[in-house]
Amino acid sequence: MIEIMSDHWLNCFDGAPERTLDEGETLFRRDDEVEWAFLVREGQISLRRALQDGGLLTLHTIEATELVAEASLFADRYHCDAVTEMPTKVSLISKTELKASLENSATSKRLSVKAFERTARELQNLRTRIEIMRLRKVADRLDAYLELYGPPELGGWVRVADWIGVSPPALYRELAERRTNKPDLF
């Protein structure tokens, strides 16, 4: 998150009540009414959407000092589920209170520019992800991902599978084939 935004989010949540969630716990569900704004203090939350085929699509992962689903500040209902990836602590204030704080802030103009920059980058990333997910073959999706981001850190292949929109077993089959046919790549 952009530093100036992060600092302002933190200031808006000074003294706010906190909630602790266990790993795998849901903060909110798709179609819940948006009444609260949440700031991750510790841990990690993924925004997920269930697909018709039974799979899950992770739309975004939120880390400490980031606002959860900031676009929901301008919506009546959530468009996805928010699920913790590990034990997580969040602060919460009413959506109305956060919006008023942002509108009345002395730094609101700088925040607007920074928010626009961040949104533009996220839009670029989302468009890239959509284009990769439109590729039919797992191999093509993986190639595109690796060209842009390189291989993940140890234990990160499950996230790559999610990011390119394939099941972990499908990705592992592709990786096994590559190790067999092109061992010098790994």
Side-chain angles (χ1 to χ4, degrees):
M1 170 165 294
I2 297 166
E3 188 175 328
I4 190 169
M5 289 178 71
S6 176
D7 291 345
H8 191 71
W9 296 139
L10 292 171
N11 294 339
C12 291
F13 285 84
D14 281 349
E18 292 185 345
R19 179 175 168 199
T20 302
L21 300 109
D22 293 325
E23 180 178 344
E25 195 170 341
T26 301
L27 180 62
F28 56 77
R29 295 200 181 277
R30 182 178 179 184
D31 292 326
D32 284 353
E33 187 176 345
V34 179
E35 298 179 69
W36 299 99
F38 302 96
L39 178 78
V40 175
R41 294 290 188 177
E42 298 171 10
Q44 190 177 66
I45 295 177
S46 288
L47 300 180
R48 296 184 182 149
R49 194 163 203 176
L51 302 175
Q52 288 183 344
D53 67 2
L56 288 174
L57 177 64
T58 300
L59 303 170
H60 185 60
T61 301
I62 300 106
E63 309 279 338
T65 73
E66 293 182 339
L67 191 65
V68 178
E70 61 265 26
S72 65
L73 292 174
F74 307 99
D76 295 324
R77 303 209 169 268
Y78 292 108
H79 296 169
C80 57
D81 298 338
V83 181
T84 59
E85 295 293 333
M86 60 185 63
T88 300
K89 185 184 292 185
V90 297
S91 293
L92 60 144
I93 60 175
S94 77
K95 170 178 124 173
T96 307
E97 183 181 340
L98 180 58
K99 285 174 73 174
S101 175
L102 293 173
E103 289 169 1
N104 297 324
S105 166
T107 60
S108 65
K109 286 185 183 181
R110 286 185 295 159
L111 281 171
S112 295
V113 170
K114 295 297 183 184
F116 183 75
E117 288 175 15
R118 179 175 181 218
T119 301
R121 275 196 297 281
E122 286 180 3
L123 182 58
Q124 289 171 331
N125 289 334
L126 182 59
R127 286 177 176 162
T128 300
R129 187 172 182 195
I130 289 168
E131 288 304 313
I132 288 174
M133 291 176 76
R134 289 179 64 186
L135 299 170
R136 292 194 180 271
K137 296 179 182 178
V138 174
D140 294 339
R141 291 182 185 192
L142 181 57
D143 287 341
Y145 178 90
L146 292 173
E147 184 176 319
L148 290 170
Y149 304 107
E153 293 183 19
L154 186 63
W157 287 110
V158 171
R159 285 207 172 151
V160 172
D162 180 63
W163 200 93
I164 65 173
V166 300
S167 68
L171 178 63
Y172 293 139
R173 281 191 297 274
E174 176 61 28
L175 291 171
E177 185 175 319
R178 288 177 185 219
R179 284 188 182 105
T180 302
N181 297 330
K182 301 174 188 174
D184 56 319
L185 292 178
F186 294 92

